[in-house]
Amino acid sequence: MTWVVFYKLLAIFITVAIGWFVGHMRWLGGRDAGGQGGDPARVLSAAAFYIFVPALLFRTTARVDFASLPWLMLGAFFLPLALLLLLVYGVQRRRGAGRVAPALPSVQAITVCFGNTLQVGVPLAAGVFGEAGLALHITVVSLHALVILSLLTVLVEHDLARAQPGQSLAATLKATVRNTVIHPVVLPVVAGLAFNGLGLTLPAVLDEVLQLLGTAVVPLCLTLIGMSLAYYGWPRQWRGALGLALLKLFALPALVLLVAHWVFGLSGLPLSVIVMIAALPVGSNALIFAQRYRCHETEVTAATVISTLAFVLSAPLWLSLLTRFS
């Protein structure tokens, strides 16, 4: 653990604390101010989900050079990630969690699989692996949100459509497709892919606007974590949040290490980079996803805080283990 990473973690906690203080003081209004739509945490979350995150996703997808991507390394990362995502989702569905809250299996899956690749991941990659490692990290990050959010959007929208009483299979499929495509996450991704596929280049002014909007995602999300703690409190059943945090910090990187090394044959710097991406604490986009579907925001907030605190101890363990594969 380098001092750069430590300072970044400290900055994260200070930003979260600012959000908590603002929420605790009710400077943006009470949780029930102005009715259901007046919940400040939900209002800010909606702004992130409908404005800032779509801008970031569209700009990323429109600019990425798919021809030059290291597909072997990406496959070694995203295949085990998708396996664990679907496993968590399937287990929760089998346990009947979806009957209580249709979005719960998807919310828990994103909490286990979505890492803090920007605020923590970038300084970690730069400080530990240098410029070459940072370049590999950025490559994975360019597809990280696109893959996870798109896959989970399909799953959660299907579950929500199925939960509607008296709806036929055809109506369920139609609602799933409509709500998946016309969605603040998937629609900018599809538009960005089309823009990219046509070989178009973003005009300078539009690129500047999208970049400006995208930069708001990080501070807004961190502030939301603190505000959510102030408004919703700590979960009474904290073991669920602890379990999600442990899966994120240990199960996901272990699975990525096994698949990437023994199935894809990766070693050295590429292996170390993707394992440490998998070992990152829960990313704040998981909370935005939970708030979008009004499902277990308290548990996701707690898992984010717990995993970020525990990362100070878990990161050196993974870095020490990875020296054996260098």
Side-chain angles (χ1 to χ4, degrees), residues 1-14 119-125 127-128 308-309 311-313 315-316 319:
M1 178 70 65
T2 66
W3 282 109
V4 174
V5 178
F6 176 78
Y7 288 140
K8 285 293 183 180
L9 289 171
L10 182 60
I12 287 173
F13 286 121
I14 292 174
Q119 304 101 306
V120 179
V122 169
L124 176 69
V128 176
T308 305
L309 285 169
F311 184 72
V312 177
L313 300 176
L319 289 171

Side-chain angles (χ1 to χ4, degrees), residues 80-145:
L81 183 145
L83 288 175
L84 183 61
L85 184 153
L86 294 174
L87 177 62
V88 172
Y89 171 83
V91 168
Q92 291 302 317
R93 279 287 303 273
R94 188 173 182 83
R95 291 175 58 185
R99 289 195 294 270
V100 179
L104 181 55
S106 297
V107 167
Q108 294 197 326
I110 194 173
T111 307
V112 170
C113 295
F114 204 105
N116 192 331
T117 56
L118 294 177
Q119 304 101 306
V120 179
V122 169
L124 176 69
V128 176
F129 304 121
E131 187 175 341
L134 179 61
L136 294 176
H137 177 90
I138 294 298
T139 300
V140 177
V141 172
S142 68
L143 299 178
H144 183 258

Side-chain angles (χ1 to χ4, degrees), residues 49 57 77-90 93 103 105-107 109-110 113-114 143-160 176 179-181 183 185-187 189-190 193 289 293:
F49 209 82
L57 293 176
F77 175 77
F78 284 109
L79 176 60
L81 183 145
L83 288 175
L84 183 61
L85 184 153
L86 294 174
L87 177 62
V88 172
Y89 171 83
R93 279 287 303 273
S106 297
V107 167
I110 194 173
C113 295
F114 204 105
L143 299 178
H144 183 258
L146 308 182
V147 172
I148 298 176
L149 290 176
S150 298
L151 176 57
L152 282 171
T153 296
V154 174
L155 295 175
V156 72
E157 291 296 343
H158 176 67
D159 288 341
L160 291 173
T176 301
N179 294 335
T180 297
V181 175
H183 190 277
V185 167
V186 177
L187 191 58
V189 171
V190 173
L193 289 174
F289 189 87
Y293 294 104

Side-chain angles (χ1 to χ4, degrees), residues 54-66 142-143 146 188-203 206-207 210:
L56 179 64
L57 293 176
F58 176 79
R59 183 174 185 268
T60 301
T61 314
R63 289 165 54 93
V64 67
D65 184 7
F66 290 100
S142 68
L143 299 178
L146 308 182
V189 171
V190 173
L193 289 174
F195 195 91
N196 196 321
L198 292 173
L200 302 176
T201 303
L202 288 172
L206 177 58
D207 185 62
L210 293 173

Side-chain angles (χ1 to χ4, degrees), residues 24-40:
H24 179 72
M25 298 299 293
R26 299 298 193 263
W27 284 350
L28 300 182
R31 179 180 172 183
D32 300 319
Q36 188 179 32
D39 184 336

Side-chain angles (χ1 to χ4, degrees), residues 17-30 226-227 230-231:
I18 291 173
W20 177 87
F21 184 76
V22 170
H24 179 72
M25 298 299 293
R26 299 298 193 263
W27 284 350
L28 300 182
M227 289 187 63
Y231 283 115

